[in-house]
Amino acid sequence: MRKKIVAGNWKMNTLPAEGVELAKGVVAGRGEVCSCVNFIVCPPFTHLAMVAEALKGSDVALGAQNCAAEAKGAYTGEVAASMIAALGCKYVILGHSERRQYYGETSATLNKKMEQAYANNLVPIYCVGENLEEREAGKHFDVVKAQIEEVVYNLTEEQFRNLVIAYEPVWAIGTGKTATADQAQEIHAYIRKVLADKFGTAAAECPILYGGSCKPSNAAEIFAKEDVDGGLIGGAALKAEDFLAIGKGFAK
Ligand code: 13P
């Protein structure tokens, strides 16, 4: 049985006090959703310590949105994996399309970030996904395959067993355009096959999340698909009520 996960990527939103309120709202309503759903919130770095405090005593996990490629030292403005782990993070989002697109993150950088994450016992939520042009040219399978081969294939089997993948088509992020449930299933199944080619039966255990305009009204249909194990939620994670309602989308 694969883990069911609903993770909130808050991106660069909320002030710290608002973030704490949001986290408290998630904790307060969490009991209304099946305990089989693993909730994760990923606030900005500046909020991590305060949000960790707000999550204390609950089963809502904390994640960061990024970490540095280096362990420590003269890297002004960077935040090390050891620092976020020390604040209570269990997860770290790596390779989000916004980081690839706006901050030039390449597979070479991401290999180093993955190494830092594992060295600090963090579970990476590794993001893959094609842009609109690539989808329209029918290249989406090749794009995600390369993103997996260049990074995930470098992991040991033990590391792979502590990995979450998020498939986020760039054309569906923040656009209101969601991949259909069938489109999501098609590529999630493909991703699982690419993972199985390298890691064999362990691929059946890897949670693969869908991300991109996921909301309470479409989550249930998408999550009902065999190879979709939850969601990485942007906009709808900024309201505790919507975020929790997405978690209720699991019928299986
Ligand atoms: P939206 O849910 O706002 O489309 O964002 C998805 C996303 O990028 C989560 O990482």
Side-chain angles (χ1 to χ4, degrees), residues 89-103:
C89 285
K90 296 273 181 289
Y91 296 87
V92 60
I93 298 171
L94 291 177
H96 192 281
S97 63
E98 287 151 18
R99 301 244 22 119
R100 294 179 191 263
Q101 202 181 335
Y102 307 143
Y103 303 98

Side-chain angles (χ1 to χ4, degrees), residues 7-11 93 96-98 127 166 168 172-177 210-215 232-237:
N9 174 10
W10 296 2
K11 307 193 181 183
I93 298 171
H96 192 281
S97 63
E98 287 151 18
C127 304
E168 299 203 308
I173 297 178
T175 58
K177 255 193 207 176
Y210 169 79
S213 298
C214 195
K215 43 188 184 268
L232 181 55
I233 321 299

